[in-house]
Structure formats: C-alpha cells, structure tokens
Amino acid sequence: MQVKGIFSARIGLGVLAGGVLGCILVYSGVAEEALTDVTAHIGISFRIENSPTTQKYLPETMCCGVAVFDYDNDGRPDIFFANGALIDDPMPAGKKPDKSDPRYWNRLFHQNADGTFTDVTAKAGLAGSGYSMGVAVGDYDNDGFEDLYVTGLDHATLYHNNGDGTFTDVTLKSGTATSGWSTSAGFFDYDNDGKLDLFVDRYVDWSFAHNRWCGDAATGRHYCHPLVYHGTTSVLYHNNGDGTFTDVSEKAGISKVIGRGLGVAFADYDGDGWTDIYEANDSVQSFLFHNNHDGTFSEVAIGAGVGYDEDGNAFAGMGGDCADYDNDDLPDLVVTDLAEQKYMLFRNAGRGTFVAETDSSGLARASRISTGWGVKWADFDNDGWKDLFVAQGHTDDEMYGGSKILTYRQKPLLLRNDRGRLVPWPGNPGAVLADARVGRGVAVGDLDNDGAIDVVTTNIGQGACVLHNNIGRRHHWIGITTRGTQSNRDGIGCRVKIAGASGRTQYYTVNTAGSYLSSSDRRILAGLGEDDSVRLIEARWPSGIVQKLENVKSNQWLTLTEPAK
C-alpha cells in the first residue's frame, strides 16, 4: 500500500489501547535522518496567522500552541492547532480580533487508517473565536473522551468532547471563562479526588487600547518588553464533579503572587504523592507551588532553587517541562528563555531542592545564543535516556536584523542525553533541523504507533512541522496507556517505574502538560535499548493503589487499568 505516493506501510504487532492494530509507516529512503519533515505528505496544512501590524501589538509574537491527542478513541493520535485572528492596523476602540475568515481558524486534523490526516475542524465545531494562544487536553468528566481547553486574549474556551466527533463550547456552563490574557494551561488532579482540575497561566495586563509605544527614533517602533506592563495572577479551577468548576485561586494561595506566566509543568517533585505546579514567568521570578495536601499551595521557588538562575537573576521563562532525565526517580525541570540567557536545567537533588546543572550538563553551550519556547523531554532513540527537543526563534523580527549571531529565525534544537549529559545529536539529525524557523509550540507523541516518538511544532507565519522519528525502532521499547478507575480516567499523575531486563530503571509520570502553549500525547513510551523484555512495570496511581506487572515482552502497547482497592 502506498500513502501519498512515498510511504510504504506494514501492520505492527502491538495492540493499541483502543484494541486495534497500529499502522506503522516506514518512510522510504530517509532512515539515516533522526527526524524527517513529513508534514505535506501526510496531509497537514496549517500555519500560524499571527496578523503582524505596524503597531507591534505584543500578542503578535507570542502565539500559538499545538496538541497531540486521540479525540475519537480509534487508537490513532490526532492533531489540534491553536491560531491567531485578524488584527486591524490599528485596532479601533472596542473591536476584537476577527476569526471569521477560515485562514484564522483553530484546526483539528483527524488521522486516517493509512496515516494521512483530514481537516475536520468544521464538523468538530472547533474553529474557535478570538485570538487563541494555547491548548490543554484532559478528560475532565471521566467519560472516556478527551476534552479541550483553548486559551487566548480575553477569551478562553472549554470544549466538551461529545464522543461522536463533535465538541460543544461549555465555557459559561462550566465556569471556566478566564479573563485577561491566558497562555499555557494544563489539567491535573491536585487533590487526588479522581477528577481533573485546571490550572491556567496568565501573562500581563495588556490590551489593544493600552498598547504602549516602545522603540527609538533611529530604528522606529519595536515590541515592548513585558516589564513595561503590570503582571497578573494565574488561575486554579477545582473540578466539582458535575460538569462545573470553581475558581479556587484565592483559597488555594495561587493568587497571592503576581507573575507573568507563560509555561506550566506539573510534577510531584518531592515524592509525597501530591502534584505540584511549576510556572515559568517572563523576566521575573518563576514560581514553584508546593501542594500542601489540604487544597492549598505554598510558593517555594526560591527555597527550592528554581526561582532564579544560578547567579540569582530572573530570566525570560517561556516553556518548561518536568521529567526524570537522569533516571534517579526524581523529576527534573528544564526551562527555555531568551538568547544570551541560556536555558535552565534544574536537577532534582531530593529533599525538596534543585541544583542548577545548566553549565555542567552541556545545555548552556547549546542554548546561549538561542531563544527557546516549546520544549519536551522524550527518548527519541529509545536507549533508555530522555533526550531534549526545543522550538526556537526570537521575539522581535527587527531587533537583530544586522546581527550574524543573534537571529530572528533559528534552527530547532535536538540534544541527545548521554547518561545525563546533553550533547549535539550524533550522525544526521535531519535536514529539517537545519532549517531556521520562528518556532513556538511543541507537542510529542507516537503518531504512527511504531514505538518511536514523533514531534509536531508550530512556527509563526510559517507552516507547522510534523517530524517523523526514523531512529527509535533501532532499539526495543514499551508503550503504556493508563486508564484510571479510582483515579481520574486519564491516569494523569500516575507514576510508572519501568525496569528493563538488564537492570536499567526509568521513571515516568503520566501527563499532557508541559512545553509552551501545548499538550502532548499522554501515553508513556519508554525506550529499552537492547532489552527485549521488561522485568517490572510498577504503577503508583494517584489513589495510592500500587500495581505491578512482571516479565513483559517489549515492542508492544499495553493498557494499564487501575485495579480496585
């Protein structure tokens, strides 16, 4: 069978969570590349329409995110893109960005059985309204279908998945109409009651009516630095279990601190069984909200060592992701920021503290002249160590026009994890990684269910990129879908230990959040290297239930269903 004229396909042996056999695409003639751009070949056609103006409205340079998720439970991940809207130049008082033209719609692409994608936005009811920014994914009502939360300028929308290929806007009914400029968001269960709650970042107190003039006489108008505008608070919504949410930001202690939130990541960083929140803030102290087990949080970033860089300076935190990159059962944290600042890598040292490993890990050298946004830990070569992918591109299309070092368009960054040290990818990372872009969102997931993590990125004013992984199949792997019964149905927050036959042990947490404005496939895919079996899989569910599987064959997808207490 030929797909779009250049693919050959074969049926894989692993059984997917949906109970169907996965179609594994073999991309002919490109096996020497780590990642290959297959966007056009699989039918994806999308570009961020940020609507740039001479007014240099700040949101023009910030959007937009992407989600990888299986909205119809057919076992094949689908892709959702958030998009901007038409901004007048200048914007008249009282008018809002216009999304009526289809070029500005948010887009949902359904994956077909042959690995190609079809645009089903209109049918699904997801075109959206207003200037969108980010997207969060989670089954908030535990009905078995993933729902969407789309953030934006003065407009955030909760879409309920109806289970028939359509979505319904339930924002007002659910009580999740976040005001102001919302950016990244994520679903998680902060009180372990089996229902997904929602955390929403907000950026700065900005509006079209109060767009300040920034620049100078010589070079003209530029985008303003975010410190020109007042910061604001983020929002925490508690899931009431009846389709509605309650804003508990004040009660929980979230609204006690004012930031400029752009990225959010969740992890139980101190191993106490309760999920904590990291918020990446732009040019002010970042936040770490420790979960106090009673519905409240304490902001502890400075004491934990993640509020500032190792020199005590604030950085332009944009994207963030938590994962155990050094396989010691402690979730670590990576944060992207502006060129000349270097991305931050905070290694979890245990006992509630982190140590900056930016320089010693090799990340500083790789990122010093880059501006990073979406970022994800993922084991691309399936050797048992999580690698790092970053979408890069500066904020200002004019600031570095004459520089040969600092540029607006930048190449994506792919770093290999060499047992805790991040190094340039050996061999041929792929021609797409040599192509400079204005990258923003990053989501990862095994799109073709072949046991290798793929990447989807968004780029301002340019086409999105779907990057197929050609190298993961060189090693063994195990894929896991979690299905909660006592815990939330997605199993978000479930901590999974995977011990290979050779003794190497890895640790994962089920999650969809992280990166920048984006949401990734919630399924775990762990590389096993040369191990053809897994000695032990141990799942610690948010309910406290511990589940174990022993002597599991590699190279298959499994569904872990939470047992009864």
Side-chain angles (χ1 to χ4, degrees):
M1 177 177 66
Q2 294 296 313
V3 183
K4 288 291 183 177
I6 70 165
F7 302 147
S8 62
R10 68 175 183 265
I11 299 299
L13 298 178
V15 179
L16 306 184
V20 298
L21 288 176
C23 179
I24 299 178
L25 299 183
V26 180
Y27 295 76
S28 305
V30 292
E32 71 278 2
E33 293 188 328
L35 299 174
T36 300
D37 186 352
V38 297
T39 315
H41 303 305
I42 60 176
I44 298 292
S45 178
F46 173 82
R47 60 176 280 163
I48 292 176
E49 298 291 352
N50 61 318
S51 193
T53 69
T54 62
Q55 307 302 305
K56 299 293 183 180
Y57 294 125
L58 197 56
E60 299 168 8
T61 192
M62 307 295 287
C63 79
C64 295
V66 56
V68 171
F69 73 124
D70 182 5
Y71 78 92
D72 57 351
N73 291 343
D74 64 357
R76 298 184 295 270
D78 311 295
I79 303 174
F80 175 87
F81 295 99
N83 203 358
L86 178 62
I87 300 175
D88 290 355
D89 189 5
M91 196 66 148
K95 188 174 182 179
K96 296 183 178 181
D98 183 6
K99 213 180 189 75
S100 59
D101 188 328
R103 68 181 287 197
Y104 296 102
W105 285 6
N106 303 330
R107 293 284 173 179
L108 176 64
F109 288 88
H110 173 259
Q111 185 174 173
N112 307 312
D114 63 0
T116 62
F117 287 77
T118 300
D119 187 336
V120 295
T121 307
K123 176 184 177 182
L126 289 176
S129 60
Y131 201 100
S132 301
M133 293 292 295
V135 54
V137 174
D139 180 7
Y140 75 87
D141 57 351
N142 289 329
D143 67 352
F145 291 91
E146 302 276 27
D147 309 298
L148 293 177
Y149 189 75
V150 180
T151 63
L153 294 180
D154 296 315
H155 191 88
T157 307
L158 179 61
Y159 291 102
H160 176 260
N161 188 333
N162 301 319
D164 59 0
T166 68
F167 291 76
T168 299
D169 180 347
V170 295
T171 312
L172 295 180
K173 176 183 176 181
S174 66
T176 56
T178 304
S179 62
W181 181 351
S182 53
T183 53
S184 292
F187 287 98
F188 74 127
D189 184 4
Y190 76 87
D191 53 356
N192 291 342
D193 66 351
K195 301 181 291 291
L196 290 179
D197 310 299
L198 177 64
F199 183 89
V200 184
D201 274 336
R202 292 194 293 188
Y203 190 39
V204 293
D205 185 9
W206 179 93
S207 68
F208 289 104
H210 297 93
N211 185 55
R212 299 189 182 184
W213 197 100
C214 298
D216 55 63
T219 60
R221 189 169 196 165
H222 299 301
Y223 292 107
C224 290
H225 192 281
L227 291 180
V228 169
Y229 301 99
H230 293 295
T232 186
T233 58
S234 291
V235 182
L236 177 63
Y237 292 105
H238 176 259
N239 189 334
N240 300 319
D242 59 359
T244 68
F245 291 75
T246 299
D247 183 343
V248 294
S249 308
E250 183 174 357
K251 176 183 177 181
I254 300 298
S255 62
K256 290 181 179 180
V257 289
I258 294 176
R260 291 171 171 82
L262 287 178
V264 63
F266 304 119
D268 177 11
Y269 76 92
D270 57 352
D272 62 359
W274 299 78
T275 303
D276 310 296
I277 309 167
Y278 178 82
E279 179 178 330
N281 283 315
D282 191 354
S283 301
V284 294
Q285 180 212 315
S286 289
F287 299 145
L288 178 62
F289 294 104
H290 177 260
N291 192 327
N292 298 324
H293 316 169
D294 60 0
T296 69
F297 291 80
S298 298
E299 201 292 292
V300 298
I302 295 179
V306 297
Y308 298 99
D309 68 16
E310 63 268 47
D311 298 319
N313 299 316
F315 50 89
M318 292 185 284
D321 194 32
C322 283
D324 178 15
Y325 87 100
D326 54 356
N327 292 338
D328 64 353
D329 195 18
L330 296 169
D332 310 293
L333 174 65
V334 64
V335 190
T336 56
D337 49 34
L338 278 175
E340 301 183 288
Q341 292 186 340
K342 65 188 177 184
Y343 306 157
M344 295 304 303
L345 176 56
F346 297 107
R347 180 180 60 80
N348 193 328
R351 299 181 181 178
T353 63
F354 292 77
V355 176
E357 298 281 2
T358 305
D359 292 301
S360 59
S361 67
L363 184 56
R365 183 175 183 179
S367 65
R368 191 174 296 277
I369 63 172
S370 302
T371 296
W373 301 81
V375 56
K376 288 301 293 183
W377 293 107
D379 186 358
F380 292 104
D381 57 359
N382 281 344
D383 67 347
W385 296 84
K386 299 176 186 70
D387 311 302
L388 192 68
F389 185 94
V390 185
Q392 302 185 135
H394 208 277
T395 58
D396 198 325
D397 56 353
E398 296 177 348
M399 183 176 297
Y400 294 124
S403 173
K404 295 182 179 180
I405 300 177
L406 302 178
T407 60
Y408 179 52
R409 296 189 179 193
Q410 299 174 12
K411 302 173 185 177
L413 179 64
L414 176 62
L415 296 176
R416 182 170 184 266
N417 185 344
D418 184 7
R419 298 180 178 272
R421 181 166 177 78
L422 300 174
V423 299
W425 199 268
N428 182 7
V432 65
L433 298 183
D435 187 7
R437 303 176 185 272
V438 190
R440 290 297 183 263
V442 171
V444 301
D446 185 2
L447 291 175
D448 52 358
N449 295 315
D450 66 347
I453 292 287
D454 308 301
V455 183
V456 185
T457 71
T458 60
N459 308 283
I460 284 188
Q462 301 167 298
C465 293
V466 179
L467 309 182
H468 179 262
N469 183 340
N470 302 302
I471 59 173
R473 294 184 303 275
R474 298 175 184 174
H475 287 128
H476 296 292
W477 55 275
I478 191 73
I480 298 172
T481 300
T482 52
R483 182 170 296 160
T485 56
Q486 315 301 310
S487 305
N488 66 86
R489 185 178 173 85
D490 283 349
I492 287 178
C494 181
R495 301 182 66 182
V496 180
K497 172 183 177 181
I498 300 172
S502 65
R504 179 190 296 118
T505 303
Q506 305 170 57
Y507 303 88
Y508 288 81
T509 299
V510 178
N511 198 5
T512 60
S515 188
Y516 171 76
L517 305 179
S518 300
S519 181
S520 292
D521 188 349
R522 67 182 174 88
R523 300 177 300 171
I524 292 172
L525 200 160
L528 301 175
E530 303 303 321
D531 291 347
D532 61 2
S533 66
V534 180
R535 178 173 53 83
L536 172 68
I537 297 175
E538 180 181 278
R540 293 184 175 272
W541 294 87
S543 64
I545 293 172
V546 177
Q547 180 181 12
K548 296 182 180 181
L549 278 71
E550 296 180 338
N551 301 320
V552 179
K553 290 186 65 176
S554 66
N555 302 338
Q556 64 170 319
W557 283 98
L558 301 174
T559 296
L560 288 185
T561 299
E562 182 181 15
K565 286 187 176 180

